[in-house]
Amino acid sequence: MAGEHLSGARRRWLVDVARWRPSPAQFQAAAALLPPHHRAAIDRFVKEEDRKRALVSQLLQYSLVHHVLGIPFHQIDICRTVEGKPYLNRTLNFRNFNFNTSHQGEYVGIASELLCLVGLDIVCISKPQGETALEFINNFASYLTDHEWNCVVCDNSPDEMLTEFYRYWCLKEAFVKAIGAGVGFGLQRLEFHHVHWVNISVHIDGVESSNWRFWLFKLDEVHLASIARGHPEDAVNSYKRTLSNLVIEEREFHDALEMPEGAFILQTVEQLTQLLQD
């Protein structure tokens, strides 16, 4: 029963924004479903693609909360911590309900959990312009540990180096987003280990953590996504204050942490807007 309750609040939704080509009227109609302060934030973006991603990100958040928790749309209050982590201002009986969004390239996604923290990151593996793959990766060398650097560059072709780098980067970002940390978090504090990119574990400041699990997904030939799931006690203070109950029995947490990770479900903007109007 507990597992059904936990899985009932878990969602992995994905929107291919490249397939959504709204007219100006259709865009405004979708945006009009959101509270005014979110519409103003979307309008600040200059590029159409950025405005589309921002709008879809908000639609995902509101439609997921409405669909999963059953809160009437006009009562949903989504806020952000000082570091920019989104959270629901009222969670009713859903302990530590939390969600995370990400967007890059053609995809915008959202992941939600009960009890465990959840982080989501999406990356687009783009070939660098005007420099080699090694030169590009070297710009980020300070964010990788020696072990990770060796795994990226050792005996790999340029394309393989890029893919390996983005895998590590995606995992690091998912962890940081899960705990609600800001841009000042030192990514080099995290070192990831894996067996062919499954059974992924993390060492934090040199110590392996048993409180976190990670998954990597290949969305298509150039897009990757990662999910991080971990203990709410690891959240930064500003985000801890948004959670309802940090005290979790060990068995209860273990059951939530070890639940199998499902695939992403593709949604359309039309489906999201319909959910908000139901």
Side-chain angles (χ1 to χ4, degrees), residues 46-229:
V46 176
K47 294 182 178 180
E48 180 185 357
E49 291 304 307
D50 292 333
R51 294 174 70 240
K52 279 173 59 176
R53 294 187 191 100
L55 172 57
V56 172
S57 178
Q58 294 297 334
L59 291 174
L60 277 168
Q61 293 174 58
Y62 278 87
S63 58
L64 183 144
V65 169
H66 175 61
H67 176 67
V68 172
L69 303 188
I71 301 175
F73 169 65
H74 66 278
Q75 294 180 16
I76 297 173
D77 185 12
I78 294 176
C79 306
R80 286 184 176 270
T81 66
V82 292
E83 291 87 1
K85 171 86 168 180
Y87 67 93
L88 182 62
N89 203 27
R90 185 167 70 96
T91 56
L92 300 175
N93 297 321
F94 291 84
R95 290 173 54 198
N96 293 344
F97 174 79
N98 69 118
F99 56 89
N100 199 214
T101 62
S102 183
H103 57 79
Q104 192 173 50
E106 297 183 358
Y107 292 99
V108 183
I110 191 169
S112 64
E113 283 283 333
L114 281 185
L115 300 187
C116 292
L117 297 179
V118 64
L120 166 67
D121 194 58
I122 297 172
V123 296
C124 179
I125 305 173
S126 55
K127 293 187 177 182
Q129 301 297 314
E131 57 184 345
T132 66
L134 184 57
E135 289 170 338
F136 170 77
I137 295 168
N138 194 55
N139 296 324
F140 303 91
S142 62
Y143 301 108
L144 301 173
T145 67
D146 290 342
H147 165 77
E148 291 169 339
W149 175 263
N150 290 334
C151 290
V152 168
V153 303
C154 184
D155 297 326
N156 283 329
S157 69
D159 286 349
E160 290 169 339
M161 280 194 291
L162 276 176
T163 300
E164 288 291 283
F165 165 74
Y166 277 111
R167 284 169 173 155
Y168 283 112
W169 188 265
C170 195
L171 289 167
K172 288 172 184 270
E173 286 291 322
F175 174 88
V176 171
K177 294 174 71 176
I179 65 173
V183 294
F185 186 92
L187 296 181
Q188 73 283 354
R189 295 174 55 192
L190 308 173
E191 180 174 281
F192 285 91
H193 294 256
H194 61 88
V195 180
H196 304 300
W197 293 108
V198 295
N199 298 324
I200 303 168
S201 62
V202 66
H203 291 66
I204 305 171
D205 296 325
V207 179
E208 184 174 4
S209 173
S210 61
N211 287 338
W212 286 86
R213 298 290 183 271
F214 299 87
W215 294 264
L216 273 171
F217 300 86
K218 183 178 180 181
L219 303 180
D220 59 24
E221 291 304 312
V222 294
H223 291 86
L224 299 172
S226 63
I227 292 286
R229 201 191 299 167

Side-chain angles (χ1 to χ4, degrees), residues 247-263:
V247 180
I248 302 175
E249 293 181 4
E250 183 176 348
R251 180 64 183 177
E252 186 180 25
F253 170 69
H254 182 269
D255 288 346
L257 188 67
E258 298 297 341
M259 288 187 70
E261 184 61 36

